């Protein structure tokens, strides 16, 4: 039972919160970069950009405000990650991010200063230096922090499955042996004392069998709730967080495509590589066809897997388990499809020489514009995540409840069996005294 509790604790309190923190760090720092890149696409209005000072509510100022909010959340999460170190391997990526975020922010401030002077060359040079820190230091460190805890979680889960089966076997052997002994003892007394049944021994045997059923039921129920938490809920949560972080990074690539014209092809390829990791329809199919297929309520889960969608959202579509999850996933796919359509319009405008129109579409937050579509994707992704997050917390709570008070129950059962055997045997012994 203690092994089972430890497995639930590892999944529910040690690894999963650290993994989610790592993912939030990743989409937080990727979000900082997306807002910074978008900020530099818009002509400077000499807005105060100090981290401690408020900013105006225009387009340029909104990007700075969003960047600053992200920066605050990243620093808070770094502190939370540092305070929840469970494995030594977590220290290195956390330290790397702590040092790297300062370097990144300093370079972004240099780009802002140049941007305020209308120095486009200086702005681009400073931003690309910051982008290099983002791509080569910060995002890889967040991934390493994630993987340390994912490996620990998977290892604990597999060990738990083996340990649970072993424990069930041993418990069944011991308690069935006890019950068998009590039955044989009953038969022995019946033959020797010529009494048909001993009610105390019968009660002791019944308690042993009931305790066996309760123990096996508790272990199986806790193990099942752990499976729901890890396989059904957490794996979906992880895929959704990965998709969200990649989407923020791809959103920065979309802005870099317009900002750094010389390397536009490189930024474009990076954008599509990340989008393919998020979701890729099979050859010959579109997102609209995948969405239509997923909406057919008559599909079984196995048939849903045959849609052929790959990537993190494909993994989530193949792991639909909880009420409300399917429509949320479909909404997420639909929002992603809309975002990609608008991205294509941006690139078409750029290729046709309509640079201002492309920037306006890229930085616009009205319906039908890129920032609006991205925000719709983010909200739908969060809605799907919340469904799984609730199911995860419920499963962990229920798993702990399944094991609650077991030591007290087992002690009571053992004492009751011992006393009943004693009371059953004492009258027979007195007959021979």
């Amino acid at each position: 039972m203690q092994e089972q509790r430890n497995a639930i604790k590892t999944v529910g309190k040690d690894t999963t919160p650290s993994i989610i923190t790592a993912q939030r760090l990743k989409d937080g720092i990727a979000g900082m970069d997306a807002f910074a890149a978008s900020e530099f696409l818009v002509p400077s209005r000499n807005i105060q950009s100090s981290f401690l000072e408020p900013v105006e509510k225009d387009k340029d100022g909104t990007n700075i405000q969003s960047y600053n909010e992200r920066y605050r959340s990243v620093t808070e999460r770094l502190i939370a990650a540092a305070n929840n170190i469970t494995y030594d391997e977590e220290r290195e990526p956390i330290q790397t991010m702590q040092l790297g975020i300062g370097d990144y922010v300093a370079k972004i401030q240099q780009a802002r200063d140049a941007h305020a002077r209308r120095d486009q060359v200086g702005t681009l040079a400073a931003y690309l230096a910051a982008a290099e820190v983002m791509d080569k230091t910060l995002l890889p460190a967040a991934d390493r922090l994630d993987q340390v805890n994912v490996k620990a979680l998977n290892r604990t889960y597999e060990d738990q499955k083996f340990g649970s089966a072993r424990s069930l076997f041993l418990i069944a052997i011991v308690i069935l042996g006890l019950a068998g002994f009590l039955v044989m003892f009953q038969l022995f007394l019946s033959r020797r004392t010529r009494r048909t049944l001993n009610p105390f021994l019968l009660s002791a045997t019944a308690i042993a069998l009931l305790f066996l059923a309760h123990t096996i039921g508790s272990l199986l129920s806790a193990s099942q709730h752990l499976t729901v938490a890890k396989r059904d809920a957490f794996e979906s949560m992880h895929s959704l967080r990965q998709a969200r972080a990649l989407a923020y990074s791809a959103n920065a690539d979309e802005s870099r495509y317009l900002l750094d014209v010389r390397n536009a092809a490189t930024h474009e390829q990076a954008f599509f590589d990340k989008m393919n990791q998020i979701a890729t329809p099979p050859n010959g199919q579109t997102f609209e066809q995948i969405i239509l297929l997923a909406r057919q309520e008559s599909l079984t889960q196995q048939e849903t897997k045959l849609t052929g969608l790959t990537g993190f959202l494909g993994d989530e579509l193949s792991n639909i388990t909880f009420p409300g999850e399917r429509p949320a996933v479909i909404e997420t796919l639909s929002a992603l499809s809309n975002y990609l359509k608008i991205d294509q319009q941006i690139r078409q405008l750029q290729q046709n020489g309509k640079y201002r129109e492309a920037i306006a579409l890229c930085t616009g937050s009205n319906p039908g514009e890129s920032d609006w579509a991205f925000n719709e994707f983010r909200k739908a992704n969060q809605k799907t995540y919340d469904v799984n997050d609730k199911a995860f917390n419920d499963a962990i709570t229920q798993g702990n409840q399944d094991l609650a008070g077991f030591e007290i129950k087992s002690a009571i059962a053992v004492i009751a069996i011992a006393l009943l055997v004693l009371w059953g045997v004492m009258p027979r012994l007195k007959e021979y005294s």
Side-chain angles (χ1 to χ4, degrees):
M1 285 296 177
Q2 191 56 45
E3 287 180 355
Q4 191 84 340
R5 286 195 187 98
N6 289 337
I8 292 173
K9 177 179 179 292
T10 298
V11 172
K13 292 185 177 181
D14 294 338
T15 56
T16 297
S18 295
I19 292 167
I20 298 306
T21 297
Q23 288 301 313
R24 286 177 172 168
L25 279 168
K26 186 177 179 180
D27 75 54
I29 57 182
M32 287 174 64
D33 196 48
F35 289 122
S38 183
E39 172 190 342
F40 299 136
L41 285 174
V42 181
S44 173
R45 301 182 186 182
N46 295 318
I47 295 175
Q48 294 294 329
S49 59
S50 169
F51 179 68
L52 298 177
E53 295 178 5
V55 295
E56 299 174 22
K57 289 292 186 178
D58 57 13
K59 186 185 296 293
D60 197 11
T62 299
N63 281 319
I64 297 174
Q65 183 181 43
S66 298
Y67 171 94
N68 289 340
E69 289 172 353
R70 286 271 163 176
Y71 180 35
R72 289 190 185 95
S73 68
V74 165
T75 54
E76 290 170 357
R77 287 164 186 164
L78 276 172
I79 293 171
N83 288 333
N84 192 38
I85 291 177
T86 308
Y87 309 101
D88 288 337
E89 295 89 341
E90 294 178 89
R91 297 182 186 279
E92 183 273 329
I94 291 174
Q95 291 173 350
T96 299
M97 282 186 283
Q98 287 175 331
L99 296 173
I101 196 67
D103 191 19
Y104 175 82
V105 169
K107 287 178 168 57
I108 289 295
Q109 188 59 52
Q110 292 173 14
R112 283 179 174 171
D113 293 340
H115 191 54
R117 299 191 304 267
R118 306 298 176 91
D119 178 4
Q120 295 181 0
V121 175
T123 300
L124 181 59
Y127 171 71
L128 291 179
E132 186 174 9
V133 175
M134 175 64 62
D135 296 341
K136 295 183 178 180
T137 301
L138 291 173
L139 293 177
D143 284 332
R144 290 198 301 276
L145 179 61
D146 172 84
Q147 286 305 308
V148 167
N149 286 280
V150 168
K151 289 179 182 179
L153 184 147
N154 289 335
R155 182 172 60 249
T156 298
Y157 180 69
E158 294 301 321
D159 290 346
Q160 177 274 330
K161 287 200 301 184
F162 174 78
S164 179
R166 179 195 61 201
S167 296
L168 283 171
F169 175 76
L170 293 175
I171 290 170
I173 290 297
V174 170
I175 299 184
L176 286 175
L178 172 61
F181 167 78
L182 292 173
V183 170
M184 292 178 64
F185 196 21
Q186 177 79 250
L187 295 175
F188 172 81
L189 290 178
S190 296
R191 288 197 304 269
R192 287 300 182 92
T193 64
R194 303 188 186 282
R195 305 291 196 278
T196 54
L197 293 175
N198 188 309
F200 292 107
L201 289 180
L202 282 178
S203 298
T205 305
I207 290 174
L209 294 175
L210 288 173
F211 182 64
L212 172 63
H214 172 72
T215 302
I216 292 177
S218 296
L219 277 171
L220 288 177
S221 181
S223 181
Q224 177 59 29
H225 282 111
L226 187 62
T227 297
V228 170
K230 195 273 179 187
R231 187 186 63 194
D232 298 335
F234 168 76
E235 290 185 5
S236 290
M237 293 160 63
H238 191 247
S239 293
L240 290 164
R241 276 291 173 185
Q242 290 276 31
R244 175 172 166 143
L246 277 172
Y248 268 112
S249 187
N251 189 246
D253 289 323
E254 183 181 70
S255 296
R256 292 179 189 180
Y257 171 80
L258 298 175
L259 186 64
D260 183 18
V261 178
R262 178 178 298 179
N263 299 303
T266 301
H267 301 310
E268 182 178 43
Q269 187 60 51
F271 175 89
F272 287 118
D273 287 345
K274 290 167 186 174
M275 283 296 161
N276 287 336
Q277 291 180 63
I278 294 172
T280 304
N283 292 334
Q285 291 192 32
T286 64
F287 276 110
E288 287 73 16
Q289 291 172 316
I290 295 293
I291 292 167
L292 181 63
L293 188 60
R295 279 178 173 152
Q296 298 178 12
E297 296 181 353
S298 61
L299 288 175
T300 65
Q301 187 167 338
Q302 181 63 32
E303 291 171 332
T304 300
K305 293 179 182 178
L306 299 180
T307 58
L309 186 72
T310 58
F312 290 116
L313 293 185
D315 294 340
E316 165 57 6
L317 186 61
S318 299
N319 196 35
I320 291 174
T321 310
F322 309 111
E325 190 174 5
R326 179 184 293 273
V329 175
I330 293 171
E331 184 181 347
T332 304
L333 287 171
S334 180
L336 180 65
S337 178
N338 290 336
Y339 177 71
L340 287 171
K341 289 176 183 176
I342 295 172
D343 174 79
Q344 188 59 42
Q345 295 172 25
I346 293 170
R347 299 180 194 279
Q348 192 63 50
L349 287 169
Q350 168 71 346
Q351 292 164 13
N352 292 338
K354 299 180 179 180
Y355 186 65
R356 290 181 180 275
E357 291 86 344
I359 289 178
L361 186 58
C362 179
T363 59
S365 57
N366 295 321
E369 295 179 324
S370 183
D371 283 355
W372 167 83
F374 183 84
N375 195 47
E376 291 298 302
F377 167 79
R378 182 189 61 78
K379 290 190 291 186
N381 177 282
Q382 185 64 43
K383 185 186 297 184
T384 314
Y385 178 89
D386 288 342
V387 171
N388 286 279
D389 185 49
K390 181 180 184 303
F392 176 86
N393 291 323
D394 289 346
I396 291 297
T397 299
Q398 189 58 53
N400 282 317
Q401 290 178 355
D402 291 334
L403 308 177
F406 178 81
E407 286 80 359
I408 296 176
K409 296 174 186 176
S410 62
I412 293 173
V414 169
I415 292 172
I417 291 171
L419 289 176
L420 287 170
V421 170
L422 180 62
W423 292 336
V425 173
M426 287 300 294
R428 306 288 81 80
L429 295 177
K430 288 182 179 180
E431 293 178 0
Y432 294 90
S433 61

